[in-house]
């Protein structure tokens, strides 16, 4: 594997948390932060994210943020959008930027499914860290999802200690005012069988109603529970060192 594993000290509890990194070949290249899915760890996105990083010559980091959101994970209460998980991702960005030779003005964040859930939460946690965020098929409300997909019910309950209040704390819908400060595009398959498309529609509508001039966008695509790297990179590259458009007169 061409990625290097590093241990990054948590600024919250002082534990050493793993991430995988890849250094771009060129000078001062952007950083892409790629988040694993609900049931997996940092290795989950290597096969899909590393070829993209190479193609675009982007730096890449895959944080673990306390591992999978499963009841089999002994640290599951620290995973699944907890303060620890969010801080691990923020710490991972800080670590990579400290290495130098990175374009600090162009840090991009992408995640799908459980990673989409975390990408939305990071938009509500430190939106200023990211030039643009792509969140695919994310869970926006754990209190809704716990009753919508029985395959994940026991895992949600384990991660959140069975608490509705804890589920709310780990749900993007609780942070619409901060997410509204992010530059984020939410992608969701119209026929998603795992996470209903209504999760993204409701989140977008809540933000749009309260913050109509925000840079929060919604893309409902013809598909299911998938992500699309081509669309993600089209979004990122449209924002990369974006110039102000010239005003057009009639």
């Amino acid at each position: 594997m061409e990625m290097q594993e590093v241990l990054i000290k948590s600024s919250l509890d002082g534990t050493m948390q793993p991430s995988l990194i890849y250094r771009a070949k060129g000078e001062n290249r952007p950083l892409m932060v790629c988040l694993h899915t609900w049931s997996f760890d940092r290795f989950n996105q290597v096969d899909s994210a590393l070829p993209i990083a190479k193609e675009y010559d982007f730096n890449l980091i895959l944080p673990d943020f306390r591992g999978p959101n499963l009841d089999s994970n002994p640290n599951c209460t620290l995973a699944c959008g907890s303060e620890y998980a969010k801080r691990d991702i923020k710490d991972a960005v800080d670590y990579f930027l400290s290495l130098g030779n990175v374009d600090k003005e162009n840090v991009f964040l992408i995640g799908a499914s459980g990673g989409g859930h975390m990408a939305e939460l990071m938009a509500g946690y430190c939106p200023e860290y990211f030039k643009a965020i792509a969140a695919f098929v994310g869970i926006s409300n754990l209190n809704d999802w716990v009753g919508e997909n029985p395959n994940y019910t026991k895992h949600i309950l384990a991660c959140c200690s069975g608490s509705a209040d804890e589920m709310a704390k780990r749900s993007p819908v609780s942070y619409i005012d901060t997410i509204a400060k992010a530059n984020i595009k939410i992608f969701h398959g119209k026929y998603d069988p795992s996470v209903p498309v209504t999760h993204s529609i409701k989140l977008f509508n809540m933000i749009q109603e309260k913050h109509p001039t925000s840079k929060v966008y919604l893309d409902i695509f013809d598909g299911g529970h998938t992500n699309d790297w081509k669309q993600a990179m089209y979004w990122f590259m449209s924002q990369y060192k974006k110039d102000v458009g010239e005003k057009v007169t009639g």
Side-chain angles (χ1 to χ4, degrees):
M1 188 175 67
E2 297 178 67
M3 301 195 73
Q4 174 190 358
E5 185 164 62
V6 296
L7 294 176
I8 301 168
K9 187 175 182 178
S10 167
S11 60
L12 192 59
D13 66 5
T15 58
M16 302 304 293
Q17 296 298 320
S19 287
L20 301 173
I21 66 170
Y22 168 79
R23 301 301 302 271
K25 305 301 182 185
E27 297 293 319
N28 199 42
R29 297 297 298 157
L31 170 61
M32 184 165 61
V33 184
C34 185
L35 307 179
H36 63 72
T37 56
W38 183 274
S39 303
F40 296 91
D41 59 16
R42 62 197 176 282
F43 294 96
N44 162 251
Q45 294 298 305
V46 172
D47 290 344
S48 59
L50 183 56
I52 298 294
K54 289 181 176 180
E55 179 182 351
Y56 286 85
D57 196 29
F58 276 18
N59 294 290
L60 174 67
I61 189 164
L62 309 179
D64 200 60
F65 52 102
R66 310 291 165 136
N69 304 334
L70 300 177
D71 64 350
S72 57
N73 176 3
N75 295 312
C76 69
T77 58
L78 303 182
C80 192
S82 75
E83 188 73 16
Y84 296 89
K86 292 186 289 188
R87 185 69 68 88
D88 286 352
I89 295 169
K90 189 176 180 182
D91 288 340
V93 175
D94 288 337
Y95 169 84
F96 206 112
L97 296 181
S98 75
L99 298 178
N101 194 27
V102 183
D103 183 353
K104 297 181 179 182
E105 300 302 315
N106 285 283
V107 178
F108 300 98
L109 177 66
I110 181 172
S113 189
H117 164 249
M118 281 303 301
E120 292 169 2
L121 282 174
M122 293 308 292
Y125 188 62
C126 53
E128 72 281 0
Y129 265 53
F130 307 105
K131 182 66 169 286
I133 299 171
F136 282 83
V137 295
I139 304 99
S140 67
N141 191 326
L142 291 177
N143 275 300
D144 285 348
W145 201 46
V146 74
E148 291 170 340
N149 191 329
N151 293 326
Y152 291 90
T153 299
K154 68 174 183 177
H155 303 300
I156 301 167
L157 293 175
C159 291
C160 299
S161 303
S163 166
D165 287 344
E166 194 63 28
M167 290 181 216
K169 289 179 184 177
R170 301 176 187 221
S171 295
V173 291
S174 298
Y175 305 100
I176 62 170
D177 291 335
T178 312
I179 295 174
K181 299 176 182 178
N183 185 29
I184 178 173
K185 182 172 281 192
I186 301 166
F187 299 84
H188 213 120
K190 186 175 182 180
Y191 310 107
D192 189 337
S194 298
V195 181
V197 67
T198 50
H199 276 255
S200 291
I201 294 172
K202 287 178 181 178
L203 177 62
F204 174 78
N205 285 342
M206 288 171 68
I207 296 170
Q208 182 66 17
E209 182 177 353
K210 192 171 181 182
H211 304 280
T213 61
S214 69
K215 293 183 178 180
V216 178
Y217 307 100
L218 179 64
D219 184 329
I220 303 299
F221 59 87
D222 183 15
H225 194 65
T226 61
N227 68 336
D228 186 329
W229 275 100
K230 183 177 179 181
Q231 289 301 316
M233 294 311 297
Y234 181 84
W235 162 238
F236 288 161
M237 296 308 291
S238 74
Q239 305 302 301
Y240 177 41
K241 293 185 176 177
K242 187 174 182 180
D243 294 325
V244 178
E246 185 176 329
K247 186 175 182 180
V248 178
T249 57

